[in-house]
Amino acid sequence: MLARIDLRGQPAAALTRQRLAGVLPRAWLDTEAALAQVRPICDDVRRRGAAAVREYTARFDGVDLPTTVVPAPALADALAMLAPAVRAALVEAIRRARLVHEAQRPTGT
């Protein structure tokens, strides 16, 4: 059952973390337990690379991919199928990400 929480009409200033904590349900997550599960997988991928990725893809997704390289025609087809507004949004997101990361690069020295 989904619960509906209507926040319409609430001023943004009133939607504080404390106020929302009592209204919005949050899942409990034991991050240490999650890290204990994920860390060995990351270490294995770091150590064995693509072979490990292939094994985990088969294990978790049930798919045995001979390669993780996406063929150029498949990329072209996917790009052609994008709605113009979605493509424009992706191009803008890429532009912004590049600006941010270029600004973070060290200069000189």
Side-chain angles (χ1 to χ4, degrees), residues 30-106:
D30 181 352
T31 54
E32 288 304 317
L35 284 172
Q37 295 275 320
V38 172
R39 190 172 282 120
I41 295 169
C42 293
D43 291 342
D44 190 28
V45 169
R46 192 175 294 112
R47 197 172 42 254
R48 296 188 310 119
V53 171
R54 183 175 180 186
E55 288 176 25
Y56 289 115
T57 301
R59 178 175 161 191
F60 296 128
D61 300 327
V63 178
D64 185 15
L65 300 173
T67 180
T68 55
V69 176
V70 178
L75 292 173
D77 289 347
L79 187 59
M81 292 173 41
L82 275 179
V86 172
R87 183 174 181 167
L90 290 171
V91 167
E92 178 62 14
I94 292 166
R95 185 188 73 78
R96 291 180 182 192
R98 285 186 175 142
L99 282 173
V100 168
H101 293 292
E102 285 171 5
Q104 293 174 338
R105 293 176 74 179

